[in-house]
């Protein structure tokens, strides 16, 4: 169990996560423990191995395959690609602003709706009687203005 | 493929291996690719092909599989680029695709079974060829004998030099799980390498 703990400290040391006190404790243990020292040595060796590794060269045949497949993909309609950014674009409206706009629209609709939907004024019986007594030419002119 | 919020830890993470092939940033190229520009695909491919191929090769220890995974990674990148909302995390997004492709192909090749805490080696009794004498060859063979899940964390930590948190985002595991797996991989390697480096 004690070795398990020190082996975890080795792991932390490799990843540069040990504080000074832990480092002192670890190296004191390493001076007496072959097993933990071996893990430390091996981990450092593996690290050096990876650091010396170079990026692999990509085979020319792979380049050709990728470009061929990519061309086949782009041969398909590009409409989706053109529209996609628009579809995924986020339109950010702050909540208070959105709420204010909604309230203004509501108030506006309450104010203007009676004007828009007001029924035309009906003539009273007296007005109809007066209208019927008017000369025909005048009645025609009145109807034109109505 | 959707992006998680935690991908943001990769913002402005400079690439260790790729020198920029041209002046255009990844962000610009990704935006161009979203608009369907073929040159953008070519530029991104040329910029990342060696890194992704190396990563796939280290993860799979199989050249043919690594080629297929690299191919599929870039084609998926092209097909799904419109789902990448935050272009600043492009690199980690690409590595996640590559990782998923490798596992998909490995799974096709052979059912790996579920990862258990005890299984570190890909074979029950991995025998490293005794005839190899070069130190690098011995280490390569030992690393390749690890299960992919352990090779993965080692590669991401030691070769790509990513933090535990960054590895956790790519692998979809917790940070403590990554740490534990890394610890087990190093300890198993130490035991395996001991006879060669006494």
């Amino acid at each position: 169990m004690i070795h398990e703990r020190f082996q975890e400290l080795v792991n932390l040391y490799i990843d540069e996560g040990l504080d000074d006190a832990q480092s002192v404790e670890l190296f004191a243990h390493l001076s007496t423990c072959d097993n933990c020292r071996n893990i430390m040595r091996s981990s450092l060796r593996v690290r050096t191995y990876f650091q010396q590794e170079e990026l692999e060269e990509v085979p020319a045949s792979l380049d050709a395959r990728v470009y061929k497949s990519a061309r086949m993909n782009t041969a398909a309609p590009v409409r989706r690609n053109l529209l996609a950014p628009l579809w995924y674009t986020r339109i950010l409206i702050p909540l208070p602003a959105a709420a204010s706009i909604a309230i203004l629209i509501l108030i506006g609709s309450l104010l203007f709706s009676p004007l828009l939907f007001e029924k035309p004024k009906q003539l009273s019986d007296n007005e109809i009687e007066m209208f019927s007594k008017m000369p025909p030419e005048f009645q025609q002119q009145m109807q034109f203005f109505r | 493929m959707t992006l998680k919020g935690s991908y943001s830890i990769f913002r402005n993470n400079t690439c260790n291996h790729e020198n920029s092939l041209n002046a255009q940033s990844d962000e610009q190229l990704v935006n161009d690719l979203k608009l369907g520009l073929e040159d953008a695909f070519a530029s991104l491919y040329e910029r990342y092909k060696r890194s992704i191929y190396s990563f796939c090769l280290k993860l799979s220890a199989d050249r043919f599989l690594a080629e297929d995974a690299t191919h599929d990674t870039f084609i998926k990148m092209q097909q799904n680029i419109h789902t990448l909302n935050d272009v600043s995390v492009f690199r980690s997004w690409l590595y996640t695709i590559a990782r998923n492709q490798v596992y998909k192909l490995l799974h096709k090749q052979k059912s790996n079974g579920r990862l258990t805490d005890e299984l570190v080696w890909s074979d029950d009794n991995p025998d490293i060829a005794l005839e190899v004498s070069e130190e690098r060859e011995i280490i390569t063979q030992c690393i390749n004998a690890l299960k992919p899940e352990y090779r993965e964390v080692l590669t991401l930590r030691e070769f790509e030099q990513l933090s535990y948190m960054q590895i956790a985002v790519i692998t979809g595991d917790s940070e403590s799980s990554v740490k534990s797996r890394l610890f087990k991989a190093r300890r198993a390697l130490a035991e395996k390498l001991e006879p060669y480096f006494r």
Side-chain angles (χ1 to χ4, degrees):
Chain A
M1 197 62 192
I2 185 171
H3 294 286
E4 183 90 2
R5 185 173 161 268
F6 280 110
Q7 284 164 14
E8 281 184 19
L9 287 181
V10 168
N11 207 43
L12 283 175
Y13 175 79
I14 297 292
D15 292 331
E16 297 161 8
L18 270 192
D19 59 35
D20 291 344
Q22 286 175 316
S23 297
V24 169
E25 192 185 4
L26 172 64
F27 280 97
H29 176 76
L30 290 180
S31 63
T32 60
C33 179
D34 283 347
N35 191 26
C36 292
R37 202 163 51 234
N38 175 47
I39 290 176
M40 170 73 107
R41 200 184 298 129
S42 167
S43 299
L44 290 172
R45 186 171 273 129
V46 169
R47 167 152 289 186
T48 309
Y49 164 89
F50 275 107
Q51 282 172 349
Q52 290 171 349
E53 279 280 275
E54 304 248 327
L55 287 175
E56 297 283 338
E57 285 296 336
V58 173
S61 59
L62 176 59
D63 284 343
R65 263 178 74 198
V66 170
Y67 281 121
K68 188 181 173 189
S69 300
R71 271 196 302 275
M72 284 170 71
N73 266 342
T74 47
V78 294
R79 192 178 165 204
R80 187 193 67 182
N81 283 346
L82 289 170
L83 292 178
L86 285 177
W87 178 256
Y88 285 95
T89 301
R90 288 181 185 172
I91 300 169
L92 295 175
I93 301 174
L95 189 61
S100 307
I101 292 166
I103 290 167
L104 282 173
I105 291 170
L106 186 68
I107 293 169
S109 65
L110 288 172
L111 286 174
F112 287 103
S113 60
L115 296 175
L116 291 172
F117 300 107
E118 194 178 21
K119 287 181 183 175
K121 191 185 172 188
Q122 296 290 320
L123 294 176
S124 65
D125 291 344
N126 287 340
E127 284 172 330
I128 292 168
E129 198 180 331
M130 281 173 64
F131 187 73
S132 60
K133 286 177 185 172
M134 287 178 183
E137 302 85 33
F138 195 70
Q139 279 183 19
Q140 276 181 355
Q141 281 181 2
M142 286 297 285
Q143 273 186 334
F144 178 78
F145 284 114
R146 280 184 72 196
Chain B
M1 184 173 291
T2 55
L3 275 175
K4 296 173 186 172
S6 49
Y7 269 88
S8 59
I9 61 170
F10 288 95
R11 283 179 187 181
N12 304 320
N13 185 20
T14 52
C15 181
N16 297 320
H17 305 295
E18 294 95 4
N19 294 318
S20 58
L21 297 174
N22 52 45
Q24 276 193 296
S25 67
D26 281 0
E27 283 84 354
Q28 286 172 310
L29 290 171
V30 168
N31 286 329
D32 286 350
L33 186 60
K34 282 184 175 183
L35 295 171
L37 299 180
E38 286 183 41
D39 287 351
F41 175 83
S43 297
L44 285 169
Y45 175 67
E46 291 301 329
R47 187 175 288 181
Y48 282 104
K49 66 179 183 180
R50 289 183 70 195
S51 294
I52 293 296
Y53 178 62
S54 300
F55 175 64
C56 292
L57 187 56
K58 289 201 184 330
L59 198 50
S60 64
D62 180 333
R63 284 195 179 272
F64 294 112
L65 193 148
E67 281 188 32
D68 287 347
T70 306
H71 169 270
D72 295 351
T73 299
F74 283 100
I75 298 308
K76 278 218 176 296
M77 174 195 84
Q78 187 190 31
Q79 288 171 339
N80 297 310
I81 195 71
H82 62 279
T83 66
L84 181 65
N85 294 330
D86 185 354
V87 293
S88 65
V89 297
F90 170 74
R91 183 177 172 238
S92 55
W93 181 75
L94 191 63
Y95 271 82
T96 308
I97 298 177
R99 171 196 186 265
N100 291 343
Q101 291 308 308
V102 169
Y103 280 112
K104 193 173 154 190
L105 293 172
L106 279 174
H107 188 73
K108 268 189 189 173
Q109 262 190 0
K110 168 188 161 187
S111 181
N112 287 315
R114 291 187 62 183
L115 177 65
T116 66
D117 285 346
E118 302 307 319
L119 289 176
V120 176
W121 302 104
S122 60
D123 297 324
D124 290 339
N125 184 23
D127 290 322
I128 307 305
L130 290 173
E131 63 268 22
V132 292
S133 55
E134 284 285 324
E135 179 176 325
R136 290 193 67 76
E137 280 183 57
I138 293 167
I139 298 174
T140 303
Q141 288 203 26
C142 283
I143 291 169
N144 288 348
L146 287 169
K147 279 177 78 77
E149 293 85 348
Y150 292 92
R151 272 204 304 275
E152 175 183 61
V153 287
L154 263 182
T155 303
L156 290 171
R157 176 69 200 138
E158 305 289 10
F159 190 62
E160 301 295 337
Q161 296 180 1
L162 301 181
S163 68
Y164 290 158
M165 191 184 286
Q166 290 172 321
I167 297 169
V169 171
I170 288 178
T171 59
D173 293 318
S174 66
E175 226 179 308
S176 61
S177 168
V178 168
K179 195 172 157 186
S180 157
R181 207 179 295 171
L182 198 54
F183 171 56
K184 282 177 188 165
R186 281 174 176 158
R187 192 168 58 179
L189 273 177
E191 287 166 10
K192 191 58 66 181
L193 290 171
E194 190 186 4
Y196 303 99
F197 301 113
R198 274 181 182 165

